[in-house]
Amino acid sequence: MSKQRVPQRLLHDAVIVVPGIMGSALKDAESGKQLWGVRKLFQYSARMHTDRLRALAVSDEERAGDIGRIEPTGLLNVADSLPGLGSAQPYNQLVKELRRTAVHRSAVLAFPYDWRLSVAYNGGLLADAARRHLKAWREHPAHAHYLSGRPEAGPARILFVAHSMGGLLVRELLCHGSFRDDIRAVLTVGTPFSGSVKAAIMLNSGKGGPLLLPPADLRESVPTMPGLYDLLPSYRALDIGAEMRVPTADDLVALGGRRDLVQETLHWRETRQSTMLPDHSMVVGLGKRTLQSYRMQSDRAIGQRFMFVRDRSDDRVLLDTQKRPRTEDRKGDGTVYQFAAHLRGGNAQPVTVFQEHGALARSRTVIDLACGMLRGMRHPDELGSMLGEGGFELEVPEWVEPGVPFTVEVSGWDGALGLRCTATEVSGLGEVVHLELRPVPGEEGRLVARCAVSRPGLYEIEVVGGSEPVTRLVLVVASEQHL
């Protein structure tokens, strides 16, 4: 089959890139101190991580509407990580290539926001920004020049490219005035439309378990963030023994949530369930070990990488020969269970990409799909061979200590690829370690490498050899720096 040619036409639409949770750099408005999106993370001790966590807590004044203590300064352009909240990767390449593809770079707007706050609040800000951007672009000389040769095209509309929580903001925008006719299409990338168990584990992070930061500080900071509540699972994710159920308000409070914030997010969720996205294309991350359900052990949430198997005819849980619920690992992108990234009731066909959640917006497949929207292509079949298929899993720890070996694991390797693996410090040191992946005897498709790095920092583990590089982040912090 011959490779499908990419149409040379370009649309004159405005483009808005909406990042995910932790995808916007944040600073203290008064001191100017950068709190998230810190370039030289390797200089930070566990105490400095703790100071950042405390600063990011949402105050009672902020929840009451006195916003402005913390300001978004732009989309994340460096990788960053904070134990208890996770890590995020930059959006530079996506924005750069969209600006290169558009009729004019001014057609593309990057929309940063304070991801600690609620989707309802930030969705309102996005609505205002979208109105301003569309108006400004329609008045731009490049837009007028385009229409002078193509008057039949009519005024520009908006293309949204939204990663993770950003997709929820775009859906929220539709509840803020008459926007639907001004939207050409929406691409969501790893958006947790039905929430994420990882958010539940984050909310519960001060309850115990292997932690780098003090549980007391996690309990004081993480549960104050309304944005995190909006990502809690809204599907049958709570394992209660013989059944799984949708977590109730009491269940979410038991995780460590504040009842007022729980009630607010449940009300918000109920009012948004029927909102569909116009001309929606949907990227779903796959091939990563992903928490899909959880159970409570005393007051601790224990994440599980499986769901119960159900009879499709009557929805009952199927049992194994030991009369226990049958389970199935349905995977995802390491953060969002694959079916939680589907918008229920919509008609979008998912494009599966074998990447970790934070790296989805950096993947070649997603960038090609986003730029393809500006060429009038809306659906995966129009991109033909531009979309990569297949992949493998890459697993690493969330954080480790300097000089202590840790395991890099690849699974699902088909043996046909020559894989190369490196660990690169990405926050300023520039240190590169080349790793040797070795097959595990008796375990088909599984490769492992041992890695030890000497200095604290944020390291990107990259495996090259598949349809595109696969990456994960590891934070390295010395044990003597623990509080």
Side-chain angles (χ1 to χ4, degrees), residues 86-103:
S87 59
Q89 299 202 33
Y91 293 84
N92 313 41
Q93 195 63 28
L94 172 63
V95 174
K96 178 181 178 181
E97 296 205 27
L98 281 168
R99 285 176 173 158
R100 182 185 299 159
T101 303
V103 168

Side-chain angles (χ1 to χ4, degrees), residues 366-380:
V366 168
I367 292 173
D368 285 346
L369 188 55
C371 292
M373 293 173 66
L374 279 168
R375 298 187 176 97
M377 295 182 288
R378 292 288 179 274
H379 306 291

Side-chain angles (χ1 to χ4, degrees), residues 244-451:
M244 287 187 180
R245 73 179 185 215
V246 177
T248 65
D250 288 342
D251 294 328
L252 299 178
V253 171
L255 286 170
R258 300 188 178 188
R259 188 168 292 276
D260 56 343
L261 294 181
V262 166
Q263 296 289 3
E264 286 174 14
T265 202
L266 291 180
H267 174 72
W268 165 79
R269 182 181 293 162
E270 183 179 357
T271 61
R272 301 300 186 260
Q273 286 181 343
S274 61
T275 304
M276 295 293 107
L277 295 172
D279 207 349
H280 182 201
S281 297
M282 181 171 64
V283 170
V284 175
L286 198 60
K288 306 302 170 191
R289 295 176 185 172
T290 305
L291 298 179
Q292 299 149 53
S293 59
Y294 74 96
R295 60 184 172 84
M296 297 300 294
Q297 182 175 298
S298 185
D299 61 349
R300 282 186 57 199
I302 309 299
Q304 303 175 151
R305 295 198 297 263
F306 61 78
M307 294 291 292
F308 288 170
V309 179
R310 297 179 180 274
D311 188 306
R312 294 187 179 182
S313 63
D314 60 11
D315 202 39
R316 62 186 172 87
V317 175
L318 299 178
L319 305 179
D320 62 17
T321 57
Q322 303 298 315
K323 304 299 182 182
R324 296 172 301 193
R326 286 171 51 190
T327 63
E328 180 181 26
D329 182 356
R330 297 174 184 170
K331 300 191 181 294
D333 62 19
T335 297
V336 181
Y337 156 56
Q338 66 162 311
F339 295 111
H342 290 213
L343 181 58
R344 297 174 185 173
N347 297 318
Q349 293 299 309
V351 177
T352 56
V353 177
F354 283 74
Q355 283 286 1
E356 183 266 337
H357 182 78
L360 281 170
R362 295 176 61 195
S363 74
R364 187 71 257 163
T365 299
V366 168
I367 292 173
D368 285 346
L369 188 55
C371 292
M373 293 173 66
L374 279 168
R375 298 187 176 97
M377 295 182 288
R378 292 288 179 274
H379 306 291
D381 55 348
E382 295 180 291
L383 287 168
S385 59
M386 289 175 67
L387 291 180
E389 296 183 357
F392 46 80
E393 294 184 11
L394 170 62
E395 295 297 329
V396 298
E398 179 185 353
W399 66 273
V400 297
E401 298 180 12
V404 177
F406 63 92
T407 299
V408 175
E409 179 182 348
V410 170
S411 56
W413 178 59
D414 63 8
L417 306 171
L419 302 182
R420 303 187 307 279
C421 183
T422 56
T424 304
E425 207 289 323
V426 295
S427 61
L429 291 173
E431 180 179 349
V432 180
V433 179
H434 296 275
L435 309 177
E436 183 179 1
L437 289 165
R438 297 176 179 271
V440 177
E443 298 188 37
E444 184 177 355
R446 185 165 176 254
L447 307 173
V448 297
R450 295 289 281 170
C451 178

Side-chain angles (χ1 to χ4, degrees), residues 17-25 36 75-76 88-89 91 111-116 161-169 189-192 231 357 361:
V17 180
V18 191
I21 188 170
M22 301 186 295
S24 304
W36 184 254
L75 267 59
L76 204 67
Q89 299 202 33
Y91 293 84
F111 176 76
Y113 59 94
D114 184 349
W115 40 264
R116 304 171 310 134
V161 178
H163 176 228
S164 189
M165 180 191 268
L168 302 182
L169 266 65
V189 181
T191 292
L231 302 181
H357 182 78

